Amino acid sequence: MTCSPFDLKDYFFEELPAQERALVEEHLKQCPGCREEIERLRLTGSALAALREEEPPRRIAFVSDQVFEPGWWQRLWQSGPRLGFAAAAMLSVAILVHAFARPAPIAPAPLDSTAVEARISAEVAQRLEPAIAAAVTAGEARQAQRAAQLVKETEQRLDFDRRADRVAFEETLSLLQKKFNVLYVASADLGVRR
Amino acid sequence: MIFREVEDRDLIGRARQGNVEAYNLLVSRWEKRVFNYLLRLVGDREDAFDLSQETFLKAYQNLGKLEDEARFSTWLFRIAHNQAFSLLRRRRPEGEPPAQLPAGKASFGLYPAELSLAVRTALDRLSADQREAVLLKMYQGFKFEEMAEILSCPVSTVKSRLYTALDLLKDTLAPAYTRGVP
């Protein structure tokens, strides 16, 4: 035990407020017992300080590994504006709650199937008949065009055959005339000789 | 000191964003202190190193829970304390009081001086709680409030452990230091 106004160990560890520290220092000037106690504490501290720090056997270092890294949501949560994020989350929850809490929509009236069928038939007829007529017209036009093409091709073929026959006839006639002439000349020669 | 605190805060912020290199730089600043704290607490270099790695890994995984970057050192030593006492509890058989370090188990460096040997021996004779209080105060320089936060106990308990330990150390070390001083 010491007679110091405040704990000497608190003084030694510098854990006393300035005013109390000053009072202890004043006391130490007058009290050899407390000075000896403080001196023993300082010697103890100096002895402990003789134990030096050691180096770790290896350096500690980490490599980037997704297993150890905080997830994106953790980084988002830790990134500062937590209140903003929390407010946004609260707003989202409120919107969801509002959406689910709205009254259910009124059920639609039952449909008149006859009227619907009539309307559908009219609509189909209105849209289908012009389409059919257009398709028939187009088909007829295509048929007429094809027939005209066939007639034209046939006429051209007949004309060609006709001209070929005429050429063949003329050639045959010319040949017969030449044969007749030869026979005529031959008969004339025979008459002269007789 | 202020500059260093700002830099640590910046590194913590970048590490929180997933920057591993920033965290490695932070680790390099603190690993020696954490290692020595754990070494003097558990008394074995390999155990102390393993605990140091686990401490820094746990710290990285839980950086998001650190509310005040300025209190990083207190928070880090709190994790180291938990890691160390988890190991000490596994070492200690059920129902026995906190163990002192086994004789010859301690391996606090290779200092031939008689004083260093006396210090190691004196620290080893303390209980784990008392030894930790001395380590946090004498070697790490934490204030009583910070120690209470690290140890999860009232300041009065911290002071009780520390002062009991100091009385035991004083009886052994003060005369030894007087003899050892040239």
Side-chain angles (χ1 to χ4, degrees):
Chain A
M1 289 292 289
T2 66
C3 53
S4 170
F6 299 100
D7 195 319
L8 282 180
K9 293 191 180 76
D10 284 349
Y11 171 79
F12 171 68
F13 287 124
E14 300 182 349
E15 293 270 6
L16 285 179
Q19 192 175 1
E20 295 176 5
R21 185 173 179 80
L23 288 173
V24 173
E25 284 171 352
E26 196 63 32
H27 173 77
L28 287 174
K29 291 176 185 171
Q30 304 162 4
C31 181
C34 287
R35 280 204 303 273
E36 184 181 348
E37 176 64 13
I38 281 291
E39 186 60 24
R40 282 162 58 84
L41 288 172
R42 284 177 176 153
L43 288 173
T44 303
S46 298
L48 289 169
L51 197 62
R52 294 178 190 169
E53 284 196 322
E54 289 192 38
E55 288 294 330
R58 294 174 292 280
R59 294 264 80 84
I60 299 173
F62 297 91
V63 294
S64 180
D65 190 328
Q66 291 187 343
V67 171
F68 298 130
E69 286 182 8
W72 65 267
W73 59 272
Q74 285 174 306
R75 288 202 293 273
L76 180 66
W77 185 250
Q78 297 159 9
S79 62
R82 296 185 192 178
L83 285 176
F85 183 78
M90 288 289 287
L91 185 60
S92 302
V93 170
I95 290 170
L96 284 173
V97 168
H98 175 70
F100 282 106
R102 278 190 312 182
I106 299 169
L111 291 174
D112 181 355
S113 59
T114 309
V116 170
E117 284 177 10
R119 198 172 68 243
I120 290 173
S121 299
E123 186 124 348
V124 167
Q126 184 185 358
R127 293 185 183 186
L128 196 58
E129 286 175 359
I132 291 171
V136 168
T137 306
E140 287 175 345
R142 280 198 304 273
Q143 289 290 341
Q145 188 180 8
R146 183 168 176 73
Q149 181 73 18
L150 284 172
V151 168
K152 186 179 177 184
E153 288 175 0
T154 304
E155 286 178 347
Q156 286 175 343
R157 193 165 58 245
L158 288 173
D159 184 54
F160 178 78
D161 291 345
R162 220 172 16 248
R163 280 186 285 143
D165 289 345
R166 190 169 60 203
V167 169
F169 175 74
E170 286 172 354
E171 286 177 352
T172 304
L173 182 62
S174 176
L175 181 62
L176 287 172
Q177 281 179 341
K178 286 174 182 174
K179 283 181 179 177
F180 176 77
N181 289 339
V182 170
L183 285 172
Y184 179 76
V185 170
S187 64
D189 286 345
L190 187 61
V192 170
R193 282 176 198 156
R194 284 179 186 171
Chain B
M1 190 65 177
I2 293 171
F3 180 65
R4 170 61 182 264
E5 281 179 5
V6 169
E7 280 195 331
D8 274 0
R9 185 178 294 121
D10 180 49
L11 291 175
I12 292 165
R14 284 156 61 191
R16 278 176 164 168
Q17 300 300 318
N19 187 330
V20 178
E21 287 312 309
Y23 188 66
N24 280 336
L25 183 54
L26 195 64
V27 170
S28 70
R29 290 179 175 181
W30 288 95
E31 64 182 340
K32 189 172 178 180
R33 283 182 65 180
V34 170
F35 171 75
N36 277 274
Y37 162 71
L38 291 166
L39 174 61
R40 289 165 184 170
L41 201 53
V42 302
D44 180 88
R45 283 180 63 83
E46 283 305 314
D47 282 348
F49 184 71
D50 289 346
L51 291 173
S52 300
Q53 283 186 310
E54 290 167 17
T55 297
F56 284 109
L57 176 59
K58 200 171 275 289
Y60 183 65
Q61 290 172 323
N62 291 280
L63 268 181
K65 296 177 184 172
L66 174 61
E67 294 179 352
D68 183 2
E69 291 92 342
R71 301 183 70 80
F72 175 72
S73 61
T74 308
W75 179 77
L76 183 65
F77 274 81
R78 167 88 188 132
I79 296 173
H81 160 83
N82 287 340
Q83 296 292 318
F85 273 75
S86 177
L87 176 72
L88 293 176
R89 274 193 295 273
R90 286 199 300 273
R91 281 184 186 171
R92 189 178 72 224
E94 195 70 25
E96 287 190 11
Q100 297 173 347
L101 292 180
K105 178 70 175 173
S107 53
F108 297 150
L110 300 173
Y111 302 109
E114 186 182 316
L115 185 58
S116 289
L117 182 63
V119 171
R120 292 201 301 271
T121 305
L123 285 172
D124 292 352
R125 285 179 181 159
L126 300 176
S127 72
D129 287 338
Q130 292 168 344
R131 188 163 56 247
E132 187 176 34
V134 173
L135 296 178
L136 290 173
K137 189 63 181 173
M138 303 297 292
Y139 292 101
Q140 305 300 334
F142 285 110
K143 292 288 184 186
F144 288 148
E145 291 285 347
E146 294 172 323
M147 291 171 66
E149 194 175 327
I150 291 169
L151 303 175
S152 289
C153 64
V155 168
S156 58
T157 304
V158 169
K159 289 174 72 171
S160 171
R161 290 176 187 174
L162 178 64
Y163 290 175
T164 303
L166 201 60
D167 284 337
L168 294 170
L169 291 172
K170 189 174 60 182
D171 292 341
T172 308
L173 295 181
Y177 184 75
T178 306
R179 286 196 305 274
V181 172

